[in-house]
Amino acid sequence: MMMVLMGLNVQSVIDLVVAAISLMIGLGIFAFIASILCSAAFLHNARLVS
């Protein structure tokens, strides 16, 4: 019984690690695209003002 609980616990930890890594990758891609769009909007507005 103890080995089953330990195996389930290790599997859960591995699942959480994989989910965290995929979440970081997804949020990183989102932040990269958002920063490009914000930079483009800033440069567009800066060109209009000057």
Side-chain angles (χ1 to χ4, degrees), residues 3-17:
M3 291 300 290
V4 173
L5 288 175
M6 202 172 76
L8 184 68
N9 206 359
V10 171
Q11 185 65 43
S12 298
V13 170
I14 291 173
D15 285 342
L16 284 175
V17 169

Side-chain angles (χ1 to χ4, degrees), residues 23-48:
L23 187 66
M24 283 190 287
I25 291 172
L27 288 176
I29 292 171
F30 174 77
F32 181 69
I33 293 172
S35 65
I36 290 175
L37 290 176
C38 288
S39 298
F42 173 76
L43 291 175
H44 182 69
N45 286 334
R47 219 173 292 142
L48 288 177

